[in-house]
Amino acid sequence: IECFDIYADNCRSFGRPETSLFYYLKSAELRENINTVYTTNKTVNLLGAIGDLLFQMQEYRQAIQYIRRAIDMPLDNKGNHTGSINTLAMAYQKTGNYDSALYWYEESMKTAIASNNHLWEGIVSGNIGSLYFEKGEDSKALPLLWKDYYSCRDAEPNNAANTLHRIALIYLHQQKKDSALLLARQAVRVLENTPPYNAAFAANSYRALGDI
Protein backbone atom coordinates (compact mmCIF):
# COMPACT_ATOMS: atom_id res chain seq x y z
CA ILE A 1 0.00 0.00 0.00
CA GLU A 2 2.76 2.45 0.94
CA CYS A 3 4.58 1.73 -2.34
CA PHE A 4 1.43 2.56 -4.28
CA ASP A 5 0.99 5.77 -2.24
CA ILE A 6 4.58 6.92 -2.73
CA TYR A 7 4.60 6.15 -6.45
CA ALA A 8 1.25 7.90 -6.94
CA ASP A 9 2.51 10.96 -5.04
CA ASN A 10 5.59 11.16 -7.26
CA CYS A 11 3.61 10.74 -10.48
CA ARG A 12 1.30 13.53 -9.37
CA SER A 13 4.24 15.81 -8.57
CA PHE A 14 5.85 15.18 -11.97
CA GLY A 15 2.75 15.85 -14.06
CA ARG A 16 1.48 12.31 -14.68
CA PRO A 17 -2.08 12.56 -13.31
CA GLU A 18 -3.50 9.48 -15.05
CA THR A 19 -0.79 7.18 -13.67
CA SER A 20 -1.09 8.83 -10.27
CA LEU A 21 -4.85 8.25 -10.24
CA PHE A 22 -4.42 4.57 -11.16
CA TYR A 23 -2.10 3.88 -8.21
CA TYR A 24 -4.16 5.96 -5.77
CA LEU A 25 -7.19 3.87 -6.75
CA LYS A 26 -5.22 0.65 -6.25
CA SER A 27 -4.14 1.85 -2.81
CA ALA A 28 -7.73 2.76 -1.89
CA GLU A 29 -8.93 -0.67 -3.02
CA LEU A 30 -6.34 -2.45 -0.89
CA ARG A 31 -7.08 -0.27 2.12
CA GLU A 32 -10.78 -1.00 1.84
CA ASN A 33 -10.07 -4.73 1.81
CA ILE A 34 -8.01 -4.40 5.00
CA ASN A 35 -10.38 -2.72 7.42
CA THR A 36 -7.70 -2.04 10.03
CA VAL A 37 -5.91 0.41 7.72
CA TYR A 38 -8.93 1.81 5.88
CA THR A 39 -10.41 4.08 8.52
CA THR A 40 -7.37 6.30 9.02
CA ASN A 41 -6.35 9.87 8.30
CA LYS A 42 -4.10 8.59 5.52
CA THR A 43 -7.14 7.14 3.79
CA VAL A 44 -9.00 10.43 4.16
CA ASN A 45 -6.07 12.22 2.48
CA LEU A 46 -5.93 9.52 -0.21
CA LEU A 47 -9.63 9.82 -1.08
CA GLY A 48 -9.26 13.60 -1.16
CA ALA A 49 -6.31 13.31 -3.56
CA ILE A 50 -8.35 11.02 -5.83
CA GLY A 51 -11.18 13.55 -5.79
CA ASP A 52 -8.82 16.40 -6.64
CA LEU A 53 -7.37 14.48 -9.61
CA LEU A 54 -10.81 13.54 -10.90
CA PHE A 55 -11.83 17.19 -10.68
CA GLN A 56 -8.77 18.21 -12.71
CA MET A 57 -9.78 15.62 -15.32
CA GLN A 58 -13.28 17.17 -15.40
CA GLU A 59 -14.85 14.02 -13.95
CA TYR A 60 -16.90 16.12 -11.58
CA ARG A 61 -19.50 13.58 -10.44
CA GLN A 62 -16.85 10.99 -9.60
CA ALA A 63 -14.83 13.66 -7.79
CA ILE A 64 -17.89 14.40 -5.64
CA GLN A 65 -18.24 10.71 -4.74
CA TYR A 66 -14.66 10.32 -3.54
CA ILE A 67 -14.45 13.58 -1.60
CA ARG A 68 -17.78 12.87 0.09
CA ARG A 69 -16.44 9.44 1.11
CA ALA A 70 -13.46 11.17 2.73
CA ILE A 71 -15.65 13.69 4.55
CA ASP A 72 -18.09 11.01 5.74
CA MET A 73 -15.44 8.67 7.19
CA PRO A 74 -16.07 7.97 10.89
CA LEU A 75 -13.00 9.57 12.44
CA ASP A 76 -12.89 11.86 15.46
CA ASN A 77 -10.24 14.16 14.02
CA LYS A 78 -9.81 14.30 10.25
CA GLY A 79 -8.12 17.69 10.20
CA ASN A 80 -9.48 20.68 8.34
CA HIS A 81 -9.16 19.55 4.71
CA THR A 82 -10.16 23.01 3.52
CA GLY A 83 -8.80 22.35 0.03
CA SER A 84 -10.73 19.13 -0.57
CA ILE A 85 -13.98 20.60 0.73
CA ASN A 86 -13.41 23.59 -1.55
CA THR A 87 -12.86 21.20 -4.49
CA LEU A 88 -16.10 19.42 -3.58
CA ALA A 89 -17.93 22.74 -3.74
CA MET A 90 -16.35 23.56 -7.11
CA ALA A 91 -17.41 20.14 -8.46
CA TYR A 92 -21.00 20.81 -7.41
CA GLN A 93 -20.76 24.22 -9.08
CA LYS A 94 -19.47 22.61 -12.30
CA THR A 95 -22.50 20.30 -12.34
CA GLY A 96 -24.87 23.26 -11.87
CA ASN A 97 -25.86 22.32 -8.32
CA TYR A 98 -25.46 25.80 -6.85
CA ASP A 99 -27.20 25.16 -3.53
CA SER A 100 -24.86 22.28 -2.67
CA ALA A 101 -21.88 24.25 -3.94
CA LEU A 102 -22.70 27.19 -1.67
CA TYR A 103 -23.20 24.90 1.32
CA TRP A 104 -19.78 23.28 0.89
CA TYR A 105 -18.06 26.60 0.19
CA GLU A 106 -19.41 27.78 3.53
CA GLU A 107 -18.13 24.59 5.21
CA SER A 108 -14.72 25.14 3.61
CA MET A 109 -14.72 28.74 4.84
CA LYS A 110 -15.42 27.55 8.40
CA THR A 111 -12.36 25.30 8.34
CA ALA A 112 -10.19 28.08 6.90
CA ILE A 113 -11.30 30.48 9.62
CA ALA A 114 -10.81 27.82 12.32
CA SER A 115 -7.20 27.29 11.19
CA ASN A 116 -6.60 31.04 10.77
CA ASN A 117 -5.63 30.50 7.13
CA HIS A 118 -6.19 33.90 5.52
CA LEU A 119 -5.03 32.73 2.09
CA TRP A 120 -7.68 30.04 1.97
CA GLU A 121 -10.27 32.46 3.32
CA GLY A 122 -9.54 34.61 0.30
CA ILE A 123 -9.60 31.71 -2.16
CA VAL A 124 -12.92 30.39 -0.88
CA SER A 125 -14.36 33.93 -0.89
CA GLY A 126 -13.37 34.20 -4.53
CA ASN A 127 -15.01 30.90 -5.37
CA ILE A 128 -18.24 31.98 -3.69
CA GLY A 129 -17.93 35.20 -5.68
CA SER A 130 -17.51 33.20 -8.89
CA LEU A 131 -20.70 31.29 -8.08
CA TYR A 132 -22.65 34.52 -7.67
CA PHE A 133 -20.98 35.83 -10.85
CA GLU A 134 -22.23 32.78 -12.79
CA LYS A 135 -25.73 33.42 -11.44
CA GLY A 136 -25.58 37.04 -12.61
CA GLU A 137 -25.59 38.44 -9.06
CA ASP A 138 -22.78 40.93 -9.60
CA SER A 139 -23.44 43.00 -6.47
CA LYS A 140 -22.91 39.94 -4.25
CA ALA A 141 -19.95 38.71 -6.28
CA LEU A 142 -17.85 41.88 -6.44
CA PRO A 143 -16.76 42.32 -2.77
CA LEU A 144 -15.98 38.59 -2.48
CA LEU A 145 -13.87 38.66 -5.63
CA TRP A 146 -11.92 41.70 -4.42
CA LYS A 147 -11.27 39.93 -1.09
CA ASP A 148 -9.90 36.97 -3.01
CA TYR A 149 -7.71 39.19 -5.19
CA TYR A 150 -6.09 41.05 -2.29
CA SER A 151 -5.59 37.82 -0.31
CA CYS A 152 -3.91 35.99 -3.20
CA ARG A 153 -2.07 38.56 -5.30
CA ASP A 154 1.29 37.96 -3.59
CA ALA A 155 1.10 34.26 -2.67
CA GLU A 156 -1.00 33.01 -5.62
CA PRO A 157 -0.70 35.62 -8.41
CA ASN A 158 -2.19 33.36 -11.11
CA ASN A 159 -5.28 32.75 -9.00
CA ALA A 160 -5.51 36.48 -8.31
CA ALA A 161 -5.28 37.27 -12.04
CA ASN A 162 -8.02 34.77 -12.82
CA THR A 163 -10.21 36.50 -10.24
CA LEU A 164 -9.37 39.85 -11.81
CA HIS A 165 -10.90 38.85 -15.15
CA ARG A 166 -14.28 38.34 -13.44
CA ILE A 167 -14.01 41.72 -11.74
CA ALA A 168 -13.24 43.26 -15.14
CA LEU A 169 -16.36 41.68 -16.63
CA ILE A 170 -18.51 42.98 -13.77
CA TYR A 171 -17.18 46.48 -14.46
CA LEU A 172 -18.05 45.95 -18.12
CA HIS A 173 -21.60 45.02 -17.10
CA GLN A 174 -21.67 48.28 -15.11
CA GLN A 175 -20.51 50.24 -18.20
CA LYS A 176 -17.21 51.12 -16.49
CA LYS A 177 -15.33 50.23 -19.65
CA ASP A 178 -12.04 52.00 -18.93
CA SER A 179 -11.65 50.25 -15.58
CA ALA A 180 -12.70 46.95 -17.11
CA LEU A 181 -10.08 47.26 -19.86
CA LEU A 182 -7.34 48.19 -17.38
CA LEU A 183 -8.07 45.18 -15.15
CA ALA A 184 -8.38 42.73 -18.03
CA ARG A 185 -5.01 43.83 -19.42
CA GLN A 186 -3.48 43.47 -15.97
CA ALA A 187 -4.86 39.91 -15.69
CA VAL A 188 -3.38 38.97 -19.07
CA ARG A 189 -0.01 40.51 -18.18
CA VAL A 190 0.25 38.60 -14.89
CA LEU A 191 -0.77 35.28 -16.45
CA GLU A 192 1.68 35.67 -19.31
CA ASN A 193 4.60 36.43 -17.01
CA THR A 194 4.03 34.31 -13.91
CA PRO A 195 5.08 30.65 -13.97
CA PRO A 196 3.70 28.04 -14.01
CA TYR A 197 1.61 28.98 -17.06
CA ASN A 198 -2.06 28.15 -16.54
CA ALA A 199 -3.76 27.76 -19.93
CA ALA A 200 -7.30 27.74 -18.51
CA PHE A 201 -6.76 30.95 -16.55
CA ALA A 202 -5.10 32.57 -19.58
CA ALA A 203 -8.06 31.61 -21.79
CA ASN A 204 -10.43 33.24 -19.29
CA SER A 205 -8.47 36.49 -19.32
CA TYR A 206 -8.17 36.58 -23.14
CA ARG A 207 -11.91 36.04 -23.52
CA ALA A 208 -12.64 38.81 -21.02
CA LEU A 209 -10.25 41.18 -22.82
CA GLY A 210 -11.92 40.31 -26.13
CA ASP A 211 -15.39 40.98 -24.72
CA ILE A 212 -14.30 44.34 -23.36
Side-chain angles (χ1 to χ4, degrees):
I1 291 173
E2 289 185 6
C3 289
F4 283 157
D5 290 346
I6 293 168
Y7 189 63
D9 288 342
N10 279 280
C11 289
R12 188 180 184 187
S13 298
F14 287 99
R16 298 171 60 193
E18 293 84 2
T19 305
S20 176
L21 179 61
F22 175 81
Y23 283 98
Y24 278 142
L25 289 170
K26 291 294 289 182
S27 176
E29 181 183 354
L30 287 174
R31 286 175 181 277
E32 196 164 5
N33 291 333
I34 307 171
N35 291 329
T36 56
V37 299
Y38 185 66
T39 309
T40 66
N41 280 317
K42 282 189 176 181
T43 303
V44 172
N45 292 331
L46 172 66
L47 294 173
I50 292 171
D52 288 343
L53 283 170
L54 287 167
F55 179 85
Q56 292 170 25
M57 296 173 184
Q58 301 180 13
E59 299 289 346
Y60 303 123
R61 297 188 187 281
Q62 287 183 280
I64 289 169
Q65 291 175 6
Y66 276 93
I67 297 173
R68 285 299 302 268
R69 282 174 63 188
I71 292 170
D72 293 340
M73 287 191 72
L75 292 175
D76 293 332
N77 181 16
K78 290 183 288 188
N80 288 320
H81 298 289
T82 303
S84 287
I85 299 173
N86 178 69
T87 301
L88 175 63
M90 290 194 295
Y92 275 119
Q93 185 175 344
K94 289 290 188 180
T95 59
N97 194 334
Y98 291 129
D99 289 342
S100 293
L102 185 58
Y103 171 82
W104 287 109
Y105 279 136
E106 290 173 348
E107 290 299 302
S108 183
M109 179 65 78
K110 288 177 186 176
T111 66
I113 292 171
S115 59
N116 201 32
N117 192 321
H118 299 303
L119 176 60
W120 267 109
E121 286 181 44
I123 291 171
V124 177
S125 292
N127 287 336
I128 297 172
S130 77
L131 186 151
Y132 285 129
F133 175 80
E134 283 185 20
K135 294 174 67 177
E137 299 181 34
D138 288 354
S139 60
K140 290 184 179 179
L142 191 58
L144 293 166
L145 294 171
W146 274 122
K147 180 178 179 179
D148 180 25
Y149 173 75
Y150 285 119
S151 297
C152 297
R153 61 179 177 178
D154 294 325
E156 295 285 345
N158 282 330
N159 184 77
N162 190 49
T163 297
L164 208 56
H165 97 270
R166 294 190 179 94
I167 297 173
L169 288 173
I170 290 175
Y171 282 156
L172 178 62
H173 300 161
Q174 297 174 344
Q175 298 301 310
K176 299 175 181 177
K177 297 179 182 179
D178 290 342
S179 296
L181 183 60
L182 181 68
L183 294 177
R185 284 176 171 164
Q186 183 178 343
V188 168
R189 184 169 59 253
V190 171
L191 289 163
E192 285 181 342
N193 294 286
T194 307
Y197 182 76
N198 188 310
F201 287 179
N204 290 338
S205 66
Y206 293 141
R207 278 194 294 268
L209 185 58
D211 287 345
I212 294 163

